[in-house]
Amino acid sequence: MIDTDLTKFLPDLIEVENLFSDNQFNIKHRFKQNGNKLVNTITVNGQTYAYGNFVNDLSDEIVRTRLTKRYAKLSLYKALSKVTGKDMPWGALTGIRPTKLAYSEIEKNGSFEDFFVNVMKVSEQKTALTRAVIDSQKPYYEKNDNNTDFFVFIPFCPSRCKYCSFISADIKRSNQHVDAYVDALIEEIRQSADLVKNLRSIYVGGGTPVALPNEQLERILLELDKINTGVEFTVEAGRPDAITKENLAMLKAHKVTRICVNPQTFSDQTLQLLGRNHTSKDIFEKYELAKKDFSVNMDLIAGLPGEDQKVFEDSLKKTIALSPDDITVHTLCIKKGSYLAEETNRLPEDKVANMVEKSHQILGENGYKPYYLYRQKYMAGNLENTGYALNGKVCVYNIDVMEEISQNVACGANAISKRIYFGGERIEREASPKDIPTYLGKIEQIIDKKRKLFE
Ligand code: SF4
């Protein structure tokens, strides 16, 4: 429980408290400004700590708000770190885009490392990871609000994985919605086409887009043909059990350049436990089918229930042996709404941290460089998801979306369009309903609002 006199920052302070989630705290926070000094006094379970921070200029209201929030969070982080004896890998950072913050520091001060390590208490290791990601992005990073990425969301899967907290529905139980969903989606794509300027990439995500019947998937691809100017075109095929020779041939015919074949693990025991209706043999077979014609992204998850370092490393080595263009290592993130939230036997955080660190080392030894990263709430050990790619093989869409450096015109349920204004460093968003019936019922308003966002 947090009692603070900066009530408007209470959600931000709760985020910091959640970093130390295994503990129960009774927190009192008092804030005072003495001239250019911001003083935060934190009492945790009866112990009091006071932190003072001098700032240069507080005359600008936006700057004052930003710094007040920053130092309140940081003070709470330091107090909780003292009380628990724990340092977090990302220090007091709670945002999902650490690299974006690093870029903004570079723009203001020429570098971010001192700010990360000495102010925000980010570990040397994570600061070095952020630097490596920024270096890898250099040839592709294009901050330009005249560029557009186009996103399409397909909310159906062949079955529901136990760790899943997305809105994706089991396609076998959603037959009544599939045709209507594709009709509405096509209308939305059609009415979004003229909002696209300087197309950078197309990404069809899910869910499992290839879980759709071929004729419905093809209708969507035909609509996207009209937008595609020959850019990177990714389809998150996803689950190997939904990939077939036929749907791959169709993707190729519609100029898809990249697909995701996501193992998550090569342990058959874990795959079964997760409710994924496929085996490791399917992963090898579908990868071989896909590799002939596409760049391939593959995802793994560190910290899956029942897995130890050895099982995780075995999956990682098997993935590397296949030599996909991109390997993203996720840290298990169990949210409310997933079956695992109730029944999981979670690995200790330091074990997951070891898996993540070792994967960084092994991938580096095999020519994979980190090129994008993001964090999520409820993530084991407060770690991160990191995408690695072989030289010249990055997925541009991942960079654009993670760094928020171009417009995102997004279609489908749960899709969030973003209009970026670099002049004012501002982002406006328009989110579609997550629930399919609501999306179908409001499709006209959704299209209307999106057009207003970009016009
Ligand atoms: S494939 Fe992905 S979206 Fe589909 S159920 Fe599994 S975790 Fe959820």
Side-chain angles (χ1 to χ4, degrees), residues 97 99-100 103 132-144 147 149 200-201 203 232 234 258 297 326 328 369-374 387-390 392-408 418 420 422:
R97 294 182 167 84
T99 38
K100 201 178 161 198
Y103 275 114
V133 167
I134 288 175
D135 287 346
S136 298
Q137 289 184 350
K138 261 185 199 136
Y140 312 94
Y141 186 92
E142 196 177 306
K143 192 173 173 184
N144 186 341
N147 287 345
D149 296 287
R200 286 261 288 177
S201 70
Y203 194 101
E232 172 191 284
T234 305
R258 198 170 188 110
N297 296 357
D326 170 312
T328 298
K369 290 190 184 141
Y371 79 96
Y372 78 100
L373 71 84
Y374 66 102
Y388 297 81
L390 293 171
K393 303 288 188 172
V394 309
C395 177
V396 167
Y397 182 83
N398 287 336
I399 296 178
D400 285 4
V401 163
M402 284 310 146
E403 307 310 338
E404 297 182 312
I405 49 177
S406 72
Q407 312 296 354
N408 196 295
K418 289 186 191 172
I420 319 246
F422 287 129

Side-chain angles (χ1 to χ4, degrees), residues 7 70 84 113 125 194 246 254 261 294 304 394 415 440:
T7 47
R70 173 184 297 169
T84 59
E113 282 89 345
Q125 233 169 14
D194 66 330
E246 292 70 30
H254 289 278
V261 181
F294 304 95
L304 285 169
V394 309
L440 297 177

Side-chain angles (χ1 to χ4, degrees), residues 1 21 36 66 86 110 141 153 190 213 225 231 237 240 256 272 278 339 354 359 363 378 393 423 431 451 454-455:
M1 192 197 78
S21 57
N36 274 8
R66 180 162 51 82
K86 283 187 188 170
Y141 186 92
F153 184 66
R190 202 169 281 156
D225 284 346
V231 294
V256 170
Q272 198 181 8
H278 66 85
Y339 296 115
N354 276 344
S359 68
L363 283 159
Y378 312 108
K393 303 288 188 172
R451 293 197 63 82
F454 286 101
E455 276 168 3

Side-chain angles (χ1 to χ4, degrees), residues 159-164 239 263-280 301 303-308 311 332 334 338-347:
S159 68
R160 196 159 163 83
C161 307
K162 285 199 173 183
Y163 58 90
C164 184
R239 290 258 298 260
Q264 315 303 8
T265 173
F266 277 79
S267 156
D268 286 330
Q269 203 181 338
T270 315
L271 286 169
Q272 198 181 8
L273 179 80
L274 296 177
R276 288 171 75 92
N277 290 344
H278 66 85
T279 61
S280 53
I301 301 178
L304 285 169
E307 297 209 340
D308 57 15
V311 178
L332 183 65
I334 298 178
S338 65
Y339 296 115
L340 279 187
E342 281 91 48
E343 56 176 68
T344 190
N345 48 337
R346 290 200 204 188
L347 274 184

Side-chain angles (χ1 to χ4, degrees), residues 7-20:
T7 47
K8 71 173 170 177
F9 299 138
L10 180 60
D12 304 282
L13 296 172
I14 290 173
E15 280 183 359
V16 175
E17 184 189 19
N18 287 344
L19 294 175
F20 300 83

